[in-house]
Amino acid sequence: MAVTFELIKRCEKTGARAGRLYTPHGVFETPIFMPVGTQATVKAMSPDELKAMGAGIILSNTYHLYLRPGHDLVAEAGGLHSFMQWDRGILTDSGGFQVFSLGPLRKITEEGVTFRSHIDGSKHFLSPERATEVQMALGADIIMAFDECVPYPAEYDYAKKSTERTTRWAERCKKAHTRRDQALFGIVQGGMFKELRTMSVQSLLELDFPGYAVGGLSVGEPKPLMYEMLEHTVPQLPESKPRYLMGVGTPDCLVEGVMYGIDMFDCVFPTRVARNGTVMTSRGKLVVKNAEFARDFRPIDPECECYACKNFSRAYIRHLLKTEEIFGLRLTTIHNLHFLIKFMRDMRKAILENRFLSFRQEFWAHYSHS
């Protein structure tokens, strides 16, 4: 198999676990946060900078790369690894979430989805086979089955039909997938209905994927409901295979996701909010653009050792952001990614040392949502 998982340690009191993910482009320790590089680049970052902070696997987006520059061009360049000069792991999503986010610009049938490009309005069709073909051309280590992301809120009947279709599409993706140097993961759906989550897991387990993602969460539902779905769903997934929670990347959700047994996470959150002047710290988020930091000569986070915190003050970074200097958003991005990657590393260490619960308690004692 192209991708395998080794369970190293499980927390004695929770579902948290530490493991290793083996891929064609390296071995990565879990739990892991995967920075998002939508357009074959993590915004504002070079590959060398990502490596220096310890990034292992990064994401790229099938929908966007299919539209620009085209998967055929990426394949001609030797695949994503060569095209973007990244020699570590890459995961591509199927494009399903982006397509379904288009709302009135798309039409879903059993065969697939017809949609219009958000760029120029051109018409396209994406089926499970086509999504798999595009991802095989892109050449990521891990690719995702084409699924329908159940929106929130959704009626039970709609969620059931959608979840059943996702299973049928997963089977078609598996039949279409022929690259042995890639792993195709299945995606659990089911909306906010426990019965449908169980149905989705059971049907996907019959297809025997090398890894499983939990999709359709963090789509607008209250966080306690997301955690309820995780608590119900994750224990039903195989212990011997990686578990991936899609689209989650705030510190509070990461620590709770790990507690329920998730190994892999991704989200645009740290890079997106960085460009708006918001940074993450061990005490909660901080909007460094705010006027209160104009004469604050402390680092973003005194406990952080990233390049930004070791060299520059909040006042300086605020000045850069207010004057729209590119270096400012680079510094906030560097900090946010470094923060989350180290946060995951610290959580793994806590699991290995049998102190994950105390780690979680300490986190919540200091972390503020405001």
Side-chain angles (χ1 to χ4, degrees):
M1 264 196 288
V3 172
T4 56
F5 178 76
E6 178 187 7
L7 181 60
I8 305 295
K9 177 87 174 180
R10 179 165 181 170
C11 173
E12 297 168 356
K13 298 175 181 177
T14 71
R17 53 197 222 155
R20 289 194 189 99
L21 192 67
Y22 294 82
T23 81
H25 286 88
V27 181
F28 307 104
E29 296 182 332
T30 63
I32 188 172
F33 175 77
M34 304 177 289
V36 176
T38 301
Q39 311 271 14
T41 180
V42 177
K43 283 184 172 58
M45 301 293 294
S46 74
D48 286 345
E49 287 170 328
L50 288 167
K51 286 183 190 178
M53 64 177 62
I57 303 175
I58 62 175
L59 259 73
S60 281
N61 185 278
T62 298
Y63 166 80
H64 288 282
L65 294 176
Y66 161 74
L67 292 176
R68 287 186 306 197
H71 56 289
D72 292 337
L73 186 148
V74 174
E76 190 180 332
L80 269 179
H81 290 92
S82 175
F83 190 50
M84 64 191 292
Q85 288 299 297
W86 177 254
D87 59 4
R88 296 187 180 180
I90 299 178
L91 184 151
T92 48
D93 59 15
S94 67
F97 180 78
Q98 285 72 32
V99 167
F100 295 112
S101 298
L102 292 172
L105 294 176
R106 50 91 172 136
K107 181 183 177 184
I108 307 168
T109 66
E110 184 64 27
E111 273 308 298
V113 184
T114 303
F115 65 95
R116 291 197 176 274
S117 164
H118 72 286
I119 300 166
D120 59 10
S122 56
K123 194 174 181 180
H124 301 270
F125 178 72
L126 212 52
S127 64
E129 292 80 9
R130 182 64 166 161
T132 305
E133 174 194 333
V134 171
Q135 290 185 90
M136 286 195 291
L138 294 174
D141 302 275
I142 300 170
I143 71 172
M144 304 305 298
F146 191 59
D147 65 324
E148 181 181 351
C149 184
V150 180
Y152 177 82
E155 296 291 334
Y156 179 86
D157 287 346
Y158 176 87
K160 186 172 187 288
K161 289 176 183 175
S162 172
T163 302
E164 289 171 342
R165 179 187 287 136
T166 283
T167 297
R168 293 192 295 272
W169 282 1
E171 190 171 2
R172 286 166 58 185
C173 287
K174 188 166 184 184
K175 286 178 182 175
H177 185 241
T178 57
R179 280 192 70 154
R180 295 191 174 184
D181 60 343
Q182 273 183 335
L184 171 68
F185 282 19
I187 304 178
V188 177
Q189 289 289 350
M192 304 301 153
F193 303 98
K194 291 179 180 178
E195 173 193 331
L196 298 183
R197 289 276 168 185
T198 296
M199 179 186 78
S200 182
V201 169
Q202 290 175 348
S203 58
L204 290 175
L205 290 182
E206 290 178 13
L207 295 173
D208 193 26
F209 288 102
Y212 294 90
V214 180
L217 294 180
S218 192
V219 290
E221 78 280 6
K223 286 182 180 180
L225 182 54
M226 177 175 77
Y227 300 148
E228 187 181 332
M229 291 301 110
L230 284 176
E231 186 176 21
H232 173 79
T233 305
V234 178
Q236 301 182 57
L237 298 172
E239 281 230 332
S240 60
K241 294 183 178 181
R243 303 158 172 177
Y244 164 30
L245 178 56
M246 307 180 79
V248 167
T250 57
D252 54 331
C253 291
L254 291 175
V255 76
E256 296 302 287
V258 167
M259 184 181 71
Y260 290 118
I262 296 293
D263 308 301
M264 305 163 64
F265 302 83
D266 83 282
C267 195
V268 297
F269 176 81
T271 49
R272 177 175 289 166
V273 300
R275 298 193 298 278
N276 296 323
T278 300
V279 290
M280 288 176 278
T281 77
S282 52
R283 311 288 165 171
K285 73 177 183 181
L286 182 152
V287 185
V288 75
K289 254 193 337 188
N290 286 354
E292 64 187 287
F293 302 113
R295 286 179 169 79
D296 190 336
F297 301 109
R298 295 174 294 169
I300 289 172
D301 186 345
E303 299 174 23
C304 180
E305 295 188 352
C306 77
Y307 172 74
C309 288
K310 283 198 298 185
N311 292 283
F312 305 102
S313 69
R314 296 173 179 183
Y316 178 66
I317 294 171
R318 177 183 184 273
H319 158 70
L320 294 178
L321 293 169
K322 295 298 284 185
T323 53
E324 299 185 353
E325 288 289 344
I326 293 171
F327 190 45
L329 61 87
R330 278 189 23 81
L331 290 175
T332 52
T333 302
I334 287 168
H335 169 77
N336 279 352
L337 290 175
H338 180 279
F339 177 86
L340 283 191
I341 290 167
K342 182 180 183 297
F343 185 61
M344 301 307 289
R345 203 158 50 229
D346 290 346
M347 263 198 282
R348 175 187 169 84
K349 190 169 185 285
I351 295 167
L352 292 172
E353 294 175 357
N354 288 319
R355 53 178 183 84
F356 175 76
L357 263 186
S358 61
F359 176 94
R360 177 176 174 266
Q361 288 164 357
E362 188 176 342
F363 167 79
W364 281 112
H366 295 106
Y367 187 77
S368 169
H369 285 288
S370 58

